[in-house]
Amino acid sequence: DSLFSGFSKTRENLAVIDELLLYWNLSDTDRVLDELEEALLVSDFGPKISIKIVESLRSDILAGKLKTGSEIKDALKKSVLQLLTSKGSKTELQLGYRKPAVIMVVGVNGGGKTTSLGKLAYRLKNEGVKVLMAAGDTFRAAASDQLEVWAERTGSEIVIAEGEKAKAPSVLSQAVKRGKEQGYDIVLCDTSGRLHTNYSLMEELIACKKAIARAMPGAPNEILLVLDGTTGLNMLPQAREFNEIVGVTGFILTKLDGSARGGCVVSVVDELGIPVKFVGVGEGLDDLQPFDPEAFVNAILS
Ligand code: GDP
């Protein structure tokens, strides 16, 4: 399936582990574990996680708990899965019971925000959800046009800025009010992703969040940060900054189909304690997948 093929580059990177473990024997442990650590590092699991995993395998091997290559492989998969699930945060969208639920999508330009928003609208519509899109990237003239194309493609309604001076918070608040009045299930809010010199993107996002909350107490229900999967570990400082300022409830990691750095999925969850909710594994409408930790582990370490 597409999750499997989406992670094929990361899997290729990690395939060396199978060869290593096929011929593993006790006397070879140090060399094999060194190379295994290297494979994890190359796939952007990050030094902290790579060392933690390898040291835990080493102590289990020395304690006689792992006796074959395939037992080591299973233990490796188990520890990656544990890293992804131990923080206990939910990978499913948490939308509450009041309608409309509001999802605010944030992230810097070029990361795949608009595409992910479109794909998410498509997915929700297929589930029978009534979706209203809101074009809250009022800085970039082309952004609204691009989102309108996605609205058309997915058969969704959209609220766009009226007049050149319309500000993002007022567009989003208008959309949420319309969502309430017209019985929408979900309002999907796009936001700006450009870093301005004289105007802070983060201030803008805070203003958007407040405007949404004023229009609908308790909202936004989700603030999803879109991160470019090809940047690997470099996404960490960006994830931290967005989280400190707007409070991120979940990640969408995009372009993982073009990236051999899929280990960053694990490091971003471990470092921030925030779940990955969706992964982008291609450019098609269907290529935004709900993140399933177990399927992910099987896709990268099959
Ligand atoms: P934005 O500036 O953050 O809104 O970024 P866009 O949504 O316009 O995406 C930038 C580019 O990345 C576009 O060419 C998208 O088709 C592409 N893209 C987005 N998500 C994915 C993905 O999951 N896989 C691949 N291969 N390309 C993607």
Side-chain angles (χ1 to χ4, degrees):
D1 67 359
S2 72
L3 190 61
F4 230 77
S5 57
F7 282 99
S8 62
K9 294 203 170 156
T10 304
R11 186 164 72 242
E12 276 168 37
N13 248 358
L14 293 171
V16 61
I17 291 174
D18 282 337
E19 290 162 38
L20 284 167
L21 293 180
L22 191 60
Y23 301 106
W24 172 82
N25 62 62
L26 197 55
S27 62
D28 219 14
T29 299
D30 285 343
R31 184 190 62 86
V32 167
L33 288 182
D34 279 353
E35 288 188 34
L36 197 153
E37 185 179 320
E38 187 58 32
L40 295 175
L41 285 169
V42 166
S43 305
D44 267 9
F45 279 80
K48 195 179 112 198
I49 288 177
S50 304
I51 292 168
K52 192 157 129 186
I53 289 176
V54 164
E55 288 320 311
S56 136
L57 290 176
R58 192 189 312 276
S59 74
D60 284 352
I61 289 169
L62 294 179
K65 288 186 204 157
L66 303 174
K67 296 190 189 69
T68 64
S70 83
E71 281 177 5
I72 297 173
K73 177 79 181 286
D74 286 345
L76 168 65
K77 288 170 79 168
K78 217 169 125 191
S79 32
V80 175
L81 187 60
Q82 203 169 3
L83 283 163
L84 284 169
T85 52
S86 65
K87 302 263 151 81
S89 45
K90 299 226 165 57
T91 57
E92 301 88 18
L93 289 174
Q94 304 296 307
L95 299 176
Y97 58 91
R98 267 188 294 182
K99 286 185 180 169
V102 182
I103 302 176
M104 191 173 153
V105 183
V106 302
V108 300
N109 284 346
K113 188 156 52 71
T114 313
T115 310
S116 299
L117 232 124
K119 290 177 187 169
L120 186 55
Y122 179 73
R123 165 167 289 281
L124 293 167
K125 288 213 63 159
N126 279 348
E127 290 170 5
V129 172
K130 198 175 166 196
V131 182
L132 179 62
M133 285 178 153
D137 183 355
T138 50
F139 281 115
R140 213 163 40 119
S144 295
D145 300 345
Q146 210 186 336
L147 204 63
E148 267 190 295
V149 172
W150 279 103
E152 238 165 71
R153 207 176 280 169
T154 59
S156 311
E157 295 297 315
I158 183 168
V159 173
I160 56 169
E162 279 172 34
E164 287 191 0
K165 295 230 170 69
K167 296 274 190 291
S170 94
V171 174
L172 298 185
S173 130
Q174 215 180 308
V176 173
K177 283 177 192 154
R178 178 169 154 197
K180 219 161 32 171
E181 283 157 16
Q182 300 183 355
Y184 282 88
D185 298 310
I186 293 179
V187 181
L188 259 184
C189 300
D190 191 16
T191 58
S192 178
R194 183 178 293 178
L195 301 153
H196 282 253
T197 46
N198 58 352
Y199 189 83
S200 151
L201 168 64
M202 296 302 172
E203 277 169 38
E204 159 102 350
L205 295 179
I206 290 167
C208 286
K209 189 178 168 182
K210 283 185 183 156
I212 290 171
R214 271 196 300 273
M216 181 86 196
N221 305 74
E222 290 272 10
I223 298 181
L224 302 179
L225 172 60
V226 175
L227 295 165
D228 183 334
T230 60
T231 64
L233 289 175
N234 293 327
M235 69 175 62
L236 287 174
Q238 203 182 89
R240 249 180 238 121
E241 192 186 353
F242 271 92
N243 184 43
E244 272 162 25
I245 289 158
V246 291
V248 173
T249 60
F251 300 120
I252 298 179
L253 260 55
T254 62
K255 308 183 198 179
L256 288 164
D257 50 305
S259 172
R261 310 171 83 181
C264 65
V265 173
V266 184
S267 48
V268 77
V269 170
D270 184 61
E271 286 281 330
L272 282 104
I274 295 169
V276 172
K277 300 219 167 181
F278 294 95
V279 286
V281 289
E283 294 190 274
L285 272 174
D286 272 325
D287 292 327
L288 187 76
Q289 300 278 321
F291 182 65
D292 173 349
E294 205 164 334
F296 167 77
V297 173
N298 286 325
I300 62 164
L301 290 162
S302 53

Coordinates of all heavy atoms in Angstrom, one line a residue, residues 107-116 119 137 140 146 150 190 226 253-258 279-283 287-288, ligand 1:
G107 N 2.5 26.1 9.5 CA 3.8 25.6 9.0 C 4.4 26.6 8.0 O 3.7 27.5 7.4
V108 N 5.7 26.5 7.8 CA 6.4 27.5 6.8 C 6.1 27.1 5.4 O 5.9 26.0 5.1 CB 7.9 27.7 7.1 CG1 8.2 28.1 8.5 CG2 8.6 26.4 6.8
N109 N 6.1 28.1 4.5 CA 5.8 27.9 3.1 C 6.8 26.9 2.5 O 8.0 26.9 2.8 CB 6.0 29.2 2.3 CG 4.8 30.2 2.5 OD1 3.8 29.7 3.1 ND2 5.0 31.4 2.2
G110 N 6.2 26.1 1.6 CA 7.1 25.1 0.9 C 7.0 23.8 1.5 O 7.5 22.8 0.9
G111 N 6.5 23.7 2.7 CA 6.6 22.4 3.5 C 5.5 21.5 3.0 O 5.6 20.3 3.3
G112 N 4.5 22.0 2.3 CA 3.4 21.1 1.9 C 2.1 21.4 2.6 O 1.2 20.5 2.6
K113 N 2.0 22.6 3.1 CA 0.8 22.9 3.9 C -0.5 22.9 3.1 O -1.5 22.3 3.4 CB 1.0 24.3 4.5 CG -0.1 24.7 5.5 CD 0.5 25.8 6.5 CE 1.1 26.9 5.9 NZ 0.2 27.8 5.2
T114 N -0.5 23.6 1.9 CA -1.7 23.7 1.1 C -2.1 22.3 0.6 O -3.3 22.0 0.6 CB -1.4 24.7 -0.1 OG1 -0.8 25.8 0.4 CG2 -2.7 25.0 -0.8
T115 N -1.1 21.6 0.1 CA -1.4 20.3 -0.4 C -2.0 19.4 0.7 O -3.0 18.7 0.4 CB -0.1 19.6 -0.9 OG1 0.6 20.6 -1.8 CG2 -0.3 18.4 -1.6
S116 N -1.4 19.5 1.9 CA -1.9 18.6 3.0 C -3.3 19.0 3.4 O -4.2 18.2 3.6 CB -1.0 18.7 4.2 OG 0.3 18.3 3.9
K119 N -5.6 17.5 0.8 CA -5.7 16.1 0.9 C -6.6 15.7 2.2 O -7.3 14.8 2.2 CB -4.3 15.5 1.1 CG -3.4 15.5 -0.1 CD -2.1 14.9 0.3 CE -1.0 14.9 -0.7 NZ 0.3 14.6 0.0
D137 N -4.2 32.4 4.6 CA -2.9 32.9 4.2 C -3.1 34.1 3.4 O -3.2 34.0 2.1 CB -2.1 31.8 3.5 CG -0.7 32.3 3.1 OD1 -0.4 33.5 3.3 OD2 0.1 31.5 2.5
R140 N 0.0 35.9 1.0 CA 0.4 35.5 -0.3 C -0.8 35.4 -1.2 O -1.7 34.6 -1.0 CB 1.0 34.0 -0.2 CG 2.1 33.7 -1.2 CD 2.9 32.5 -0.7 NE 2.1 31.5 -0.1 CZ 2.0 30.2 -0.6 NH1 2.7 29.9 -1.7 NH2 1.2 29.3 0.0
Q146 N -4.7 29.0 -4.8 CA -4.2 27.6 -4.8 C -5.2 26.8 -3.9 O -5.6 25.6 -4.3 CB -2.8 27.6 -4.1 CG -1.9 26.4 -4.6 CD -0.6 26.4 -3.8 OE1 -0.2 27.5 -3.2 NE2 0.0 25.3 -3.7
W150 N -8.0 23.5 -4.7 CA -8.2 22.3 -3.9 C -9.6 22.2 -3.4 O -10.1 21.1 -3.3 CB -7.2 22.3 -2.7 CG -5.8 21.9 -3.0 CD1 -4.8 22.7 -3.2 CD2 -5.4 20.5 -3.2 NE1 -3.7 21.9 -3.5 CE2 -4.0 20.6 -3.5 CE3 -6.0 19.3 -3.1 CZ2 -3.3 19.5 -3.7 CZ3 -5.3 18.1 -3.4 CH2 -3.9 18.2 -3.7
D190 N -6.5 27.4 6.9 CA -5.1 27.6 6.4 C -4.6 28.9 7.1 O -5.3 29.7 7.5 CB -5.1 27.8 4.9 CG -3.7 27.8 4.2 OD1 -2.8 27.3 4.9 OD2 -3.5 28.2 3.1
V226 N 2.6 21.4 9.9 CA 3.1 20.7 8.7 C 4.6 20.8 8.6 O 5.2 21.9 8.7 CB 2.5 21.2 7.4 CG1 3.1 20.6 6.2 CG2 1.0 21.0 7.4
L253 N 3.7 15.1 8.7 CA 5.0 15.1 8.1 C 4.9 14.7 6.6 O 4.3 13.7 6.3 CB 5.8 14.0 8.8 CG 6.8 14.5 9.8 CD1 6.2 15.3 10.9 CD2 7.6 13.3 10.5
T254 N 5.3 15.7 5.8 CA 5.1 15.5 4.3 C 6.4 15.0 3.6 O 7.4 15.0 4.2 CB 4.8 16.9 3.7 OG1 5.9 17.8 3.9 CG2 3.5 17.5 4.3
K255 N 6.1 14.6 2.4 CA 7.2 14.3 1.4 C 8.1 13.1 1.9 O 9.3 13.1 1.6 CB 8.1 15.5 1.1 CG 7.3 16.8 0.7 CD 8.2 17.9 0.4 CE 7.5 19.2 0.4 NZ 8.3 20.4 0.1
L256 N 7.5 12.3 2.7 CA 8.3 11.1 3.2 C 8.6 10.1 2.1 O 9.6 9.4 2.2 CB 7.6 10.5 4.4 CG 7.7 11.4 5.6 CD1 6.7 10.9 6.7 CD2 9.1 11.4 6.2
D257 N 7.8 10.2 1.0 CA 8.1 9.4 -0.1 C 9.4 9.7 -0.8 O 10.1 8.9 -1.4 CB 7.0 9.4 -1.2 CG 6.6 10.9 -1.5 OD1 6.3 11.7 -0.6 OD2 6.6 11.2 -2.7
G258 N 9.8 11.0 -0.7 CA 11.1 11.4 -1.3 C 12.2 11.4 -0.4 O 13.3 12.0 -0.7
V279 N 0.8 11.4 7.7 CA 2.0 11.5 6.9 C 1.7 11.7 5.4 O 0.8 11.1 4.9 CB 2.9 10.3 7.1 CG1 3.6 10.3 8.5 CG2 2.2 9.0 6.9
G280 N 2.5 12.5 4.7 CA 2.3 12.7 3.3 C 3.3 11.8 2.6 O 4.5 11.9 2.8
V281 N 2.8 10.9 1.7 CA 3.6 9.9 1.1 C 3.5 10.0 -0.4 O 3.7 9.0 -1.1 CB 3.4 8.5 1.6 CG1 3.9 8.4 3.0 CG2 1.9 8.2 1.6
G282 N 3.2 11.2 -1.0 CA 3.0 11.3 -2.4 C 2.2 12.6 -2.7 O 1.7 13.3 -1.8
E283 N 2.1 12.8 -4.0 CA 1.4 14.1 -4.4 C -0.1 13.9 -4.8 O -0.8 14.8 -5.0 CB 2.1 14.7 -5.6 CG 3.5 15.2 -5.2 CD 4.2 16.1 -6.2 OE1 4.8 15.5 -7.1 OE2 4.0 17.3 -6.1
D287 N -2.7 10.5 -0.9 CA -1.4 10.3 -0.3 C -1.2 11.0 1.0 O -0.1 11.3 1.3 CB -0.3 10.7 -1.3 CG -0.3 9.7 -2.5 OD1 -0.6 8.5 -2.3 OD2 0.1 10.1 -3.6
L288 N -2.3 11.3 1.7 CA -2.1 11.7 3.1 C -2.7 10.6 3.9 O -3.9 10.3 3.9 CB -2.9 13.0 3.3 CG -2.6 13.6 4.7 CD1 -1.3 14.3 4.8 CD2 -3.7 14.6 5.1
Ligands
GDP1 P1 3.1 25.1 1.0 O1 3.8 26.3 0.5 O2 3.5 24.7 2.4 O3 1.6 25.3 1.0 O4 3.4 23.9 0.1 P2 2.6 23.2 -1.1 O5 1.4 22.5 -0.5 O6 2.4 24.1 -2.2 O7 3.7 22.0 -1.5 C1 5.0 22.3 -2.0 C2 5.3 21.2 -3.0 O8 5.5 20.0 -2.3 C3 4.3 20.9 -4.0 O9 4.9 20.7 -5.2 C4 3.6 19.7 -3.5 O10 3.1 18.9 -4.6 C5 4.7 18.9 -2.9 N1 4.3 18.0 -1.8 C6 3.5 18.3 -0.7 N2 3.3 17.2 0.0 C7 4.0 16.1 -0.6 C8 4.2 14.7 -0.3 O11 3.8 14.2 0.7 N3 5.0 14.1 -1.2 C9 5.6 14.6 -2.3 N4 6.3 13.9 -3.1 N5 5.4 15.9 -2.6 C10 4.6 16.7 -1.8

